Structures are given as structure tokens and as C-alpha cells.
């Protein structure tokens, strides 16, 4: 890292920041520090300076960071949020401002100016030639920076759990009776003896647990395999600000993986029978292994709050995942029928959505902009298919644990090897567009459409857990109405959700009844996703089901929001494989030639087809037949992986050779597409003497910047416009 206030050897004169400078006085509290010139990043109204009263009044310094410079943190939680640049006036000397600069630079701190609900962070930057303090000013929501410093230094992300049918299944007497009644009616009209036998066994399991719950309600005991088990009085630790002491009767049946509890200890009808999903302990222990948090844990559910808090207490009895001090803020209850969103979960500024993943059994309940960060698990159905959970070689929650591990590893690999490395190279004179790409958790979740076994489900979804209607009436001691809304259920129709499953290519996990519990990625799908990763482009699979008598699934593949393939089949997996294969063929013949020079695709000879006929796997299969898309260190592909980045300086050099010496080509960062956080676009335009020469749009800044530069170069070589030609060198 360059030493501050010392010119870099061989550096040329610093380029003036864009926009007209404004002179402002700087204060730390009420202490005068000195004066600085402030340069807006953008011209015109967009470049309005953010400091009120034309003065810079620092309120405090940010927490010190152990390994992450402030600019890396800010680029992660508020990408490209640089509002202006500051440069201290050389005369008269201001020792207080120098001390502030050196403190921020050496201790990885930033000087914070609070303006309303926004924090302006002054980041100390090294300069090429200047010997005065230089800062970049970045804006971020109040509180978000302080919360993110510790997480990034500890290599910690956030994980958000749904409760019902994701981690547990809970039933009251009411929901048990409703389910038994519904299945009985279906049995009366069912002709298939196999389905009748299945529903009969399901009813038997419901009745068995209903009787245990009834005994618990009546006697505070249960008879389990001839053994009478009494309640244990478990004190609920009060949250901060809550004085009331609460003691609940609880019976734990570890052999059944079940717990009986009472939401309101004074009202027996609020008793609940809870089944815990197998392998929860494995997932929980991973999150806090060796006493070190890998993830900050949150809960987002559509259940009633008292119910949600008690269910979480059963899942995390020692409060290792969420401390009592944080419990009130981190268990978030959403009104049934509303969309869940990470913005709502982190409304207090505890984390940025880009640093969070979700574990849920339904995708469509989440806001669209968050769906690419959701790992969808099969709905837990212990009554319909009690053996299905363990039919897979790896239990569902162990798969979720592995996915979380991979996401965390991928995120911080990108953070360390790309973002940190490039931030350390930045100088005060760099452009906003020189900032590196910030990782997003959604980049490391593999989303697909597996087949799940169909169950005896209602046509309409049933709300999660003990929803408001049931619990509110029970907690108030009021009797049920005959038409009361049905609540917690162990079976609910699954959404058409994409579920990430990692496994061996070409294999599947099959239930005893022959249904596929989770089809692992096909070879075509895996290759397509790897190409997307290499191109820094998002690969999406979107599926629909026909409404005709013959059920057919249709899947289309989107590559950077462009449809490149579709498939139709009797199952989602069949349609997805067909769509992926067609997408690969289209990429080979059309799309790859466009993406390769600007998105960093490995430079392979696509004219040669592999034995699979897709053109992308040649020399990439190991002896076991597994895909291995990375070549050994030092290979030609690795050396050429960043060739697209290297082309930009040469294109700019050619442009400069065409222009007169006193003319400067300017890159302007245009507003990124705000429509979807999952598909951010970068817009650049190249200007000469105020006239636009070229535009570029892309999913990363290098893509768009190079595209704009190449368009500008082509324009300059062919233009006949006299207003442009007067700024160019005469052709000899």
C-alpha cells in the first residue's frame, strides 16, 4: 500500500477531479481542522455536494478495522457510493487535519459526517503527487457501516431462517383435527388402493401425535411407549425491557424428535406439538463451530410473534445463535399474505442484503429482488412421508449447511482475491469506475428446479405456523368459531421453487416409492452455470406448468437476462436438461463470440465439439467423469482469463493518439439500472469536448467501459462530423 502524503515514484501530474471545486471549512465537532477543496464526482445537479451549510463537520471516527480498509467495506455495502473528493488546501498548513488523515489511513478508520439518516464517510486516500491530505467521500445508511466492519473482519455473513415446514412442523389440536377430517373425506372418494393405504397411514400418524397432545393438554404428561413423561418447567429468559417472568410447561421427546410446549402457560388450548427437522443440530453447530460465528442469524416468518419466539427458543435453547439482547430485532414476523424482504429484516441497518442468504421452503413468498439469495429446501412433511427426510444420502439441513459453507467461501474468496487486492491499488486520482466489483451472496447460490414427491395437499396454501387468528383468540381465552381460519399444518403445496442441490453429476436420490426426492444438477446444467460464472453473468432457469390435461413443464434459460434456450418435458428436470442443452448450442454458435472478448470467457476453440456435442467440455473431464472447469495453474486459459481487462488501456491509447494533445476523452458513469437488485447494470458513456462518442452497458464495469471505448474508437475512425474532426489530429 502506498505511503500517504508521498508521491508515487514515476507518477505524472494528477488529473483534476470532474466538476468545479468548492472550498469548505472542516471541523471535528467544534474544533477547526482546516480548509479543503471539494470536487463533485458527477457534473450538474447529480453532482450536488452533500454537506449542509457548505461546511464539513465530522461527528466521530468509525470503528477501527483489523484487515479491511474502509473503502473495501463501503464498496461492499454501498457500491459506487462515492459522492465527492476532498483535497486539503496546502496553505496555510493544518496540522490537525494532517493528524486526522494519518489516523484514518493507518488505523483503517473513516471520518464520519452524519446528515439525516445518511452517513458520509471520509476515506483517507493515497495520492500520486499531492503532499496534502486527500479523501473520498462515500455515503451509506446510518449504522450499516459499524455493523458491517465486524462481520467482514470476522469473515461472517448473515443467514435468515423461515420456521414452519423449513425447520419444524407444529400442530395444535385444531390443525390435527382439520387434517384428519380432510384426509378422511379424500379417502372416501379415492379409488386407488395404493393412495388409500398411504392416506390411511398418514391419518394414523396424525392421530398418534394428536393423542399425545391431548394428554399433554389434559394432564401435563404424555405416555410414550408405555412410559409416562411429565413436564419440565422451563423459564423463558426475559428480553431487555420485559419484566414479566414466564415459565412454560415443556415435554421433550428426543426419540421422536418432538417437543410439546404451551405458548400461553395459562391457556391449555395454546398447547403445540412440534416436530424438529432432522439434522438441525448439525446445521446449528456449524453456524457457531469452535465458538466463532460464521453467520449472524435472523428469523423471518409469517407466524404470530409469541409462537415464533417460543419455536426459536426450542431451536436455540442456549441463545447461542441469537442473543437475548438481539432477539426482539432478529425475529421478524411478517403479516400473512405479505412478501418477505431482506430490507425489512435488516430495517435496523444490521446487515446489507448482499451479505445475507435465506433458508426457506418457499421462494415466491420473498420479494423478487431477494429471491436469488434464497436456498429453497423441500417442505418438511413428517406425516405424509416420514422416511423421505432420511432417504437422501445427505439430510436436507446438511445440504443447507453445505450450501451455506460454499456461499461463505465463495463470497470471501471474491472479497479477498479481487475486491481487497484492487482497493489497495487505488489512488486519489482514480475514477469511480475503477472501483472493483463487490461480491453478492446470490452469486454463489446455484438455483435449479428439482422434482419433489407430490403429497396429499390442499389446492390452496395454508398459512405458516400458528397464524394470528388462532393464537390471538387462544391467548385472549376466546373460544374458536366454527369458521376459524385453519392454521399450522404439516402439509402445504410447495411453490414452484428452484432448489439448490449439490451432488454427483448424473446421480439422483430416489425415495422408496420411486419418486425422485431431489434430482442433482445434470451435466448440461452444471456446464452452463460454470460458463455463467466465468463470464460474470447470471444464469437463470424459469419454469411454468401447463394447465392442459397432460401436465407438461416448460423451462427457459436466461443468460444475463437474454433468453438463450427453452425446453419442454413431462418433468421439470427433463425440461431443464433440454433447455440447458439448447442454451449451450446457442451459446456456442452465437453468444460466445460476443461475450468472449469482453466478459473474460476462457479462450477455448469452440469449433471443436466434445463427445457430448456441446463444445464446452473438451479436455475438461477428469478420469472419473466429473466436470472440472478449472485448468491447472499456469495454463494458457488462466493466463488469458483477464485478457478483456488488458484490452482497455490499448483501446484508450488508440483514442488518445487520434485526439489533439489538449483534448481529453472523458468517461462518465451513468445511473445503473435500478429495476432489479439481482441484475445490476453499469452504464458508461465516452465524451469528447462535451459530445458523446460511445455508450456501454454491462453487468460489470469493465464490460461496459470497454464496450463504450470500442464504440468511441470506431466512431472516431469513421466520423465526418466537422465538430468532432477539429479535435482530432490531422491524417498524414
Amino acid at each position: 500500500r502506498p505511503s500517504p502524503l508521498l508521491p508515487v515514484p514515476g507518477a505524472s501530474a494528477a488529473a483534476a477531479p470532474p466538476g468545479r471545486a468548492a472550498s469548505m471549512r472542516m471541523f471535528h465537532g467544534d474544533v477547526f481542522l482546516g480548509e479543503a477543496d471539494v470536487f463533485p464526482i458527477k457534473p450538474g445537479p447529480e453532482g450536488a455536494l452533500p454537506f449542509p451549510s457548505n461546511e464539513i463537520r465530522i461527528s466521530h471516527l468509525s470503528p477501527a478495522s483489523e484487515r479491511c480498509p474502509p473503502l473495501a467495506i463501503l464498496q461492499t455495502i454501498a457500491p459506487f457510493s462515492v459522492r465527492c473528493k476532498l483535497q486539503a488546501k496546502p496553505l496555510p498548513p493544518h496540522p490537525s487535519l494532517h493528524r486526522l488523515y494519518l489516523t484514518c489511513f493507518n488505523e483503517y478508520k473513516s471520518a464520519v459526517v452524519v446528515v439525516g439518516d445518511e452517513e458520509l464517510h471520509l476515506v483517507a486516500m493515497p495520492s500520486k503527487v499531492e503532499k496534502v491530505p486527500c479523501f473520498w467521500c462515500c455515503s451509506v445508511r446510518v449504522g450499516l457501516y459499524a455493523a458491517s466492519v465486524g462481520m467482514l473482519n470476522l469473515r461472517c455473513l448473515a443467514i435468515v431462517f423461515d420456521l414452519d415446514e423449513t425447520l419444524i412442523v407444529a400442530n395444535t389440536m385444531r390443525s390435527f383435527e382439520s387434517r384428519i377430517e380432510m384426509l378422511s373425506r379424500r379417502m372416501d372418494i379415492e379409488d386407488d388402493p395404493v393412495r388409500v393405504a398411504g392416506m390411511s397411514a398418514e391419518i394414523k400418524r396424525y392421530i398418534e401425535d394428536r393423542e399425545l397432545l391431548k394428554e399433554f393438554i389434559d394432564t401435563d404428561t404424555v405416555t410414550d411407549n408405555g412410559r409416562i413423561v411429565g413436564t419440565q418447567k422451563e423459564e423463558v429468559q426475559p428480553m431487555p425491557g420485559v419484566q414479566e417472568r414466564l415459565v412454560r410447561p415443556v415435554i421433550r421427546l428426543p426419540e421422536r424428535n418432538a417437543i410439546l410446549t404451551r405458548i400461553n402457560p395459562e391457556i391449555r388450548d395454546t398447547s403445540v406439538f412440534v416436530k424438529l427437522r432432522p439434522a438441525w443440530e448439525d446445521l446449528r453447530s456449524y453456524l457457531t463451530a469452535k465458538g466463532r460465528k460464521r453467520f449472524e442469524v435472523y428469523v423471518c416468518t409469517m407466524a404470530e410473534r409469541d409462537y415464533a419466539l417460543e419455536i426459536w427458543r426450542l431451536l436455540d435453547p442456549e441463545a447461542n445463535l441469537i442473543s437475548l439482547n438481539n432477539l426482539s430485532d432478529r425475529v421478524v414476523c411478517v403479516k400473512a399474505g405479505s412478501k418477505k424482504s431482506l430490507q425489512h429484516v435488516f430495517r435496523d441497518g444490521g446487515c446489507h442484503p448482499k451479505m445475507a442468504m435465506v433458508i426457506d421452503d418457499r421462494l415466491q413468498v420473498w420479494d423478487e429482488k431477494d429471491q436469488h439469495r434464497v436456498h429453497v429446501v423441500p417442505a418438511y412433511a413428517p406425516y405424509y412421508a416420514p422416511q423421505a427426510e432420511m432417504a437422501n444420502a445427505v439430510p436436507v439441513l446438511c445440504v443447507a449447511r453445505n450450501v451455506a459453507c460454499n456461499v461463505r467461501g465463495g463470497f470471501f474468496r471474491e472479497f479477498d482475491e479481487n475486491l481487497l487486492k484492487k482497493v489497495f491499488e487505488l489512488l486519489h486520482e482514480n475514477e469511480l469506475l475503477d472501483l472493483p466489483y463487490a461480491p453478492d451472496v446470490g452469486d454463489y447460490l446455484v438455483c435449479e428446479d428439482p422434482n419433489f414427491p407430490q403429497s396429499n395437499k390442499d389446492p390452496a396454501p395454508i398459512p405458516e405456523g400458528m397464524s394470528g387468528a388462532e393464537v390471538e383468540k387462544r391467548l385472549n381465552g376466546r373460544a374458536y368459531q366454527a369458521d376459524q381460519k385453519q392454521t399450522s399444518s404439516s402439509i402445504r403445496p410447495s411453490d414452484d421453487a428452484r432448489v439448490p442441490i449439490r451432488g454427483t453429476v448424473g446421480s439422483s436420490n430416489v425415495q422408496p416409492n420411486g419418486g425422485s426426492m431431489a434430482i442433482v444438477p445434470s451435466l448440461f446444467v452444471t456446464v452452463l452455470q460454470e460458463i455463467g460464472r466465468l463470464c460474470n453473468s447470471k444464469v437463470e432457469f424459469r419454469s411454468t406448468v401447463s394447465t392442459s390435461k397432460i401436465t407438461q413443464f416448460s423451462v427457459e434459460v436466461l443468460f444475463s437476462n437474454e433468453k438463450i434456450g427453452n425446453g419442454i418435458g413431462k418433468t421439470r428436470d427433463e425440461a431443464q436438461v433440454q433447455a440447458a442443452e439448447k442454451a449451450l448450442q446457442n451459446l456456442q454458435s452465437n453468444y460466445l463470440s460476443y461475450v468472449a472478448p469482453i466478459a473474460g470467457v476462457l479462450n477455448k476453440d469452440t469449433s471443436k465439439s466434445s463427445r457430448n456435442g456441446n463444445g464446452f467440455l473438451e479436455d475438461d473431464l477428469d478420469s472419473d467423469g466429473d466436470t472440472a472447469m478449472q485448468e491447472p495453474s499456469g495454463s494458457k486459459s488462466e493466463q488469458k482469463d483477464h485478457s478483456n481487462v488488458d484490452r482497455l488501456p490499448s483501446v484508450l491509447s488508440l483514442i488518445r493518439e487520434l485526439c489533439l494533445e489538449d483534448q481529453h476523452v472523458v468517461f462518465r458513469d451513468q445511473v445503473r439500472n435500478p429495476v432489479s437488485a439481482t441484475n445490476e447494470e453499469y452504464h458508461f458513456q465516452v465524451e469528447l469536448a462535451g459530445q458523446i462518442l460511445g455508450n456501454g452497458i454491462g453487468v460489470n464495469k469493465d464490460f461496459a467501459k470497454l464496450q463504450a471505448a470500442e464504440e468511441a474508437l470506431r466512431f472516431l475512425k469513421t466520423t465526418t462530423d466537422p465538430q468532432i474532426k477539429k479535435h482530432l489530429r490531422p491524417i498524414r
Side-chain angles (χ1 to χ4, degrees):
R1 192 183 191 201
S3 298
L5 308 182
L6 290 177
V8 176
S12 58
R20 179 175 297 178
S23 180
M24 292 190 184
R25 289 158 57 88
M26 294 183 67
F27 298 85
H28 190 173
D30 294 326
V31 178
F32 177 67
L33 299 176
E35 294 187 2
D37 290 327
V38 184
F39 300 87
I41 292 296
K42 296 182 180 180
E46 291 185 355
L49 298 177
F51 304 108
S53 305
N54 284 328
E55 66 178 23
I56 302 168
R57 194 169 292 273
I58 297 166
S59 64
H60 63 280
L61 299 185
S62 69
S65 174
E66 296 177 7
R67 64 169 100 180
C68 306
L71 188 59
I73 298 171
L74 289 162
Q75 178 65 1
T76 301
I77 62 176
F80 303 97
S81 63
V82 182
R83 300 282 296 276
C84 57
K85 295 182 179 183
L86 282 69
Q87 186 173 306
K89 288 183 177 295
L91 294 174
H94 302 294
S96 297
L97 186 53
H98 277 252
R99 284 194 296 269
L100 173 72
Y101 173 83
L102 291 173
T103 297
C104 291
F105 190 91
N106 294 324
E107 298 180 16
Y108 285 172
K109 294 180 179 180
S110 62
V112 183
V113 179
V114 179
V115 181
D117 60 353
E118 181 182 44
E119 289 178 352
L120 302 174
H121 287 254
L122 306 183
V123 180
M125 297 292 293
S127 174
K128 285 182 179 179
V129 294
E130 301 296 341
K131 296 183 181 181
V132 296
C134 298
F135 298 87
W136 281 14
C137 173
C138 304
S139 63
V140 68
R141 188 157 53 109
V142 167
L144 182 57
Y145 183 93
S148 303
V149 169
M151 292 180 65
L152 291 173
N153 278 302
L154 293 174
R155 298 300 186 259
C156 180
L157 297 176
I159 190 166
V160 182
F161 287 109
D162 173 47
L163 293 178
D164 290 274
E165 297 187 316
T166 297
L167 300 181
I168 59 99
V169 160
N171 278 284
T172 61
M173 286 296 293
R174 170 71 176 179
S175 62
F176 271 138
E177 290 163 359
S178 297
R179 184 59 56 186
I180 293 169
E181 180 183 353
M182 181 198 69
L183 287 172
S184 298
R185 289 199 305 267
R186 289 188 178 181
M187 282 181 62
D188 292 340
I189 59 174
E190 181 60 58
D191 296 329
D192 187 342
V194 175
R195 290 182 58 83
V196 169
M199 286 187 282
S200 176
E202 189 176 353
I203 290 175
K204 182 179 178 180
R205 288 187 283 271
Y206 276 119
I207 291 175
E208 183 179 349
D209 285 351
R210 184 194 64 179
E211 293 307 309
L212 290 175
L213 179 60
K214 186 177 187 303
E215 187 178 0
F216 173 68
I217 293 172
D218 294 340
T219 67
D220 281 346
T221 64
V222 298
T223 304
D224 182 28
N225 293 326
R227 178 173 60 96
I228 297 177
V229 182
T231 59
Q232 299 291 325
K233 300 297 183 182
E234 295 188 1
E235 182 175 357
V236 180
Q237 296 297 322
M239 292 182 290
V242 178
Q243 302 298 325
E244 182 181 359
R245 180 175 178 268
L246 190 63
V247 178
R248 284 195 175 99
V250 176
I251 295 178
R252 297 178 181 270
L253 303 174
E255 295 83 2
R256 292 177 176 266
N257 217 26
I259 303 175
L260 295 96
T261 186
R262 195 163 293 151
I263 306 302
N264 187 334
E266 304 300 323
I267 303 177
R268 290 181 175 268
D269 280 347
T270 63
S271 299
V272 187
F273 189 99
V274 182
K275 278 188 173 289
L276 306 182
R277 192 162 203 162
W280 163 246
E281 289 299 325
D282 295 289
L283 176 55
R284 184 175 70 173
S285 62
Y286 163 74
L287 297 174
T288 57
K290 299 179 181 178
R292 175 186 171 187
K293 275 195 175 183
R294 292 185 169 103
F295 286 85
E296 293 289 347
V297 178
Y298 294 76
V299 173
C300 186
T301 176
M302 291 181 180
E304 188 271 339
R305 185 163 184 78
D306 286 341
Y307 163 83
L309 289 171
E310 171 61 3
I311 294 299
W312 184 253
R313 187 186 71 85
L314 300 177
L315 290 166
D316 184 28
E318 298 177 357
N320 289 328
L321 299 181
I322 303 178
S323 69
L324 292 174
N325 290 333
N326 293 327
L327 191 61
S328 178
D329 294 329
R330 293 202 179 185
V331 176
V332 180
C333 296
V334 179
K335 184 179 179 181
S338 302
K339 286 285 188 180
K340 299 179 180 180
S341 76
L342 290 175
Q343 183 177 1
H344 180 56
V345 172
F346 304 131
R347 61 196 181 282
D348 61 346
C351 181
H352 192 282
K354 293 177 65 173
M355 295 172 59
M357 66 174 292
V358 178
I359 307 291
D360 203 325
D361 66 298
R362 294 189 291 173
L363 181 67
Q364 302 305 323
V365 298
W366 284 91
D367 193 299
E368 185 177 353
K369 67 177 179 292
D370 294 323
Q371 290 183 6
H372 70 298
R373 301 182 182 112
V374 180
H375 170 64
V376 186
V377 297
Y380 182 34
Y383 295 98
Y384 167 72
Q387 303 303 320
E389 196 72 18
M390 306 308 295
N392 294 321
V394 181
V396 168
L397 291 187
C398 286
V399 173
R401 176 199 63 195
N402 296 342
V403 169
C405 180
N406 290 335
V407 165
R408 179 172 172 268
F411 183 96
F412 284 109
R413 188 178 304 110
E414 175 72 18
F415 182 85
D416 290 337
E417 298 177 4
N418 179 47
L419 188 142
L420 269 184
K421 180 180 177 182
K422 292 184 178 179
V423 163
F424 279 125
E425 297 171 353
L426 290 176
L427 300 173
H428 180 65
E429 290 75 20
N430 278 100
E431 301 176 27
L432 175 66
L433 306 178
D434 295 323
L435 285 165
Y437 170 76
D440 187 318
V441 158
D443 296 340
Y444 310 101
L445 277 174
V446 181
C447 296
E448 306 181 14
D449 271 319
N451 285 328
F452 296 126
Q454 299 299 316
S455 59
N456 306 325
K457 300 181 178 182
D458 289 329
I462 298 173
E464 299 181 29
M466 293 178 63
S467 61
E470 177 175 358
V471 176
E472 182 180 357
K473 291 186 178 183
R474 286 194 177 275
L475 295 184
N476 291 334
R478 295 184 295 194
Y480 284 104
Q481 301 297 325
D483 60 348
Q484 181 182 3
K485 185 178 180 180
Q486 187 171 347
T487 59
S488 174
S489 169
S490 65
I491 299 181
R492 176 182 61 219
S494 300
D495 291 291
D496 184 16
R498 297 170 295 175
V499 181
I501 301 294
R502 298 180 183 273
T504 306
V505 173
S507 66
S508 62
N509 298 318
V510 183
Q511 288 184 202
N513 64 3
S516 173
M517 184 63 184
I519 305 296
V520 270
S522 75
L523 189 60
F524 295 129
V525 173
T526 303
V527 173
L528 191 59
Q529 289 166 342
E530 183 67 11
I531 291 173
R533 184 187 69 80
L534 293 172
C535 296
N536 290 326
S537 300
K538 186 172 182 60
V539 177
E540 293 183 272
F541 291 88
R542 295 183 181 176
S543 62
T544 57
V545 183
S546 69
T547 56
S548 62
K549 293 184 179 180
I550 302 177
T551 301
Q552 282 192 323
F553 293 86
S554 175
V555 174
E556 62 180 22
V557 183
L558 280 78
F559 192 92
S560 294
N561 289 329
E562 180 179 344
K563 182 178 176 181
I564 59 170
N566 67 285
I568 298 175
K570 295 181 180 179
T571 66
R572 288 190 188 92
D573 185 65
E574 181 181 334
Q576 185 185 48
V577 171
Q578 186 182 115
E581 185 175 6
K582 290 182 179 179
L584 286 171
Q585 294 169 353
N586 289 335
L587 277 178
Q588 180 181 356
S589 59
N590 299 316
Y591 200 86
L592 189 61
S593 61
Y594 170 72
V595 174
I598 52 180
V601 179
L602 290 179
N603 187 18
K604 291 187 177 293
D605 183 0
T606 57
S607 64
K608 300 178 181 179
S609 298
S610 69
R611 285 177 295 178
N612 292 52
N614 55 40
F616 293 100
L617 285 180
E618 187 165 355
D619 299 325
D620 281 332
L621 296 180
D622 60 20
S623 58
D624 295 326
D626 294 336
T627 57
M629 298 299 293
Q630 296 182 350
E631 296 191 30
S633 177
S635 67
K636 293 182 179 180
S637 294
E638 182 176 346
Q639 295 167 5
K640 295 181 180 179
D641 190 34
H642 298 290
S643 60
N644 63 303
V645 179
D646 296 336
R647 290 183 55 197
L648 184 58
S650 62
V651 174
L652 294 178
S653 177
L654 291 172
I655 292 176
R656 283 194 293 268
E657 289 178 5
L658 291 173
C659 300
L660 294 172
E661 291 183 3
D662 60 343
Q663 299 300 319
H664 297 285
V665 175
V666 178
F667 276 86
R668 297 206 184 279
D669 177 23
Q670 304 301 304
V671 178
R672 284 175 292 160
N673 183 5
V675 174
S676 171
T678 65
N679 295 304
E680 292 183 330
E681 289 182 350
Y682 295 83
H683 294 234
F684 290 84
Q685 68 183 30
V686 182
E687 297 180 6
L688 176 63
Q691 300 192 52
I692 299 175
L693 305 182
N695 290 280
I697 302 175
V699 294
N700 60 61
K701 64 183 183 66
D702 293 328
F703 185 118
K705 194 171 183 179
L706 180 62
Q707 190 180 62
E710 290 184 329
E711 182 177 318
L713 181 61
R714 288 193 296 269
F715 177 79
L716 290 175
K717 287 181 175 180
T718 59
T719 184
T720 57
D721 186 343
Q723 296 300 319
I724 295 293
K725 294 190 70 174
K726 70 180 181 180
H727 300 294
L728 304 181
R729 296 177 188 271
I731 300 176
R732 296 179 180 178

